Amino acid sequence: MMNYISHKPVYSNIQITNPLPDDIADHVLLNYTCHVDHEGFDLNEIEQAYHKHNNISLEHDTTWYKDGDATKGAHAIIQPWLTQTNTSDLILDHSQFVFRYPISGEAAEQIKRYTKQRPELLRILSTSFKCGLDLCIDYINEDCVQPVVHIEWDYTNIQDLLIGIDYVENALQHTDWNEIISVIKRFNRLSKHSLDAFQQADFRSMLLFGCKSYKLIPTL
């Protein structure tokens, strides 16, 4: 019911080690926002500045945002995963890989020097590497759209991410979509006012993948 092209993640051992030039470090480190996305991959203004200075490309996704702020969107290392190639009742809403790399080396030392003036900068120095996959599929049911599945699974290393990718793609390939859609439509109707959004998402994910919808690794 849904045809797609699969892309593999492009991984490199990114090092964010180059400090900012002295003439702009003061302004950036004392004035830019430094809230850390505790569960996700969105980068704050200081992290973005270090990524840019270290020639690391970021995607600005205006459809993916935190805390209800749709005007800013999200800035992160995002790569495409599945790309739908046909018109179908099944809609691939989004499918991507995400990465977060810690700031280290001289860049981390530079930030550390400013923590006496601005202790909250320690948030930026407390992050670790993580990567993840994000997949959302919907279904056109007559004159409305219903959710089919949405997963966000995080990993601490690339090897586990690759295993997760193969697991999901194999499950999608061998799914009896007519049966699954029939079950999900009935579930959506019955659970709409009796289960919260996370419980509903978990049920649909368990049907397709045997795992919960969200497997998030804390950033800090």
Side-chain angles (χ1 to χ4, degrees), residues 178-197:
N178 289 324
E179 180 181 355
I180 285 291
I181 292 300
S182 176
V183 173
I184 287 178
K185 285 168 62 176
R186 177 174 172 78
F187 169 76
N188 288 347
R189 183 174 71 254
L190 295 175
S191 66
K192 188 174 183 65
H193 302 295
S194 59
L195 298 177
D196 66 35

Side-chain angles (χ1 to χ4, degrees), residues 166-179:
D166 288 341
Y167 180 83
V168 170
E169 291 186 5
N170 184 64
L172 292 177
Q173 184 178 357
H174 293 92
T175 292
D176 183 335
W177 287 105
N178 289 324
E179 180 181 355

Side-chain angles (χ1 to χ4, degrees), residues 9-16 37 40-44 47-48 50-52 54-61 64 74-81 96-103 128-134 158 161:
V10 179
Y11 170 72
S12 57
N13 187 21
I14 290 177
Q15 302 289 323
I16 308 172
D37 186 353
F41 294 81
D42 188 21
L43 300 176
N44 62 46
E47 290 172 320
Q48 291 175 45
Y50 276 94
H51 279 68
K52 181 178 180 180
N54 283 265
N55 298 312
I56 300 168
S57 298
L58 300 177
E59 295 294 326
H60 179 211
D61 190 336
W64 177 40
H75 297 80
I77 301 175
I78 305 172
Q79 297 176 9
W81 179 11
Q96 57 201 15
F97 306 118
V98 283
F99 300 85
R100 172 182 275 277
Y101 295 85
I103 295 174
S128 302
F129 172 82
K130 67 177 180 177
C131 53
L133 54 83
D134 182 1
I158 294 297
L161 172 63

Side-chain angles (χ1 to χ4, degrees), residues 141-157:
N141 181 30
E142 298 177 351
D143 59 349
C144 67
V145 173
Q146 293 196 30
V148 173
V149 70
H150 181 204
I151 57 173
E152 294 182 9
W153 295 351
D154 294 353
Y155 303 91
T156 59
N157 60 79

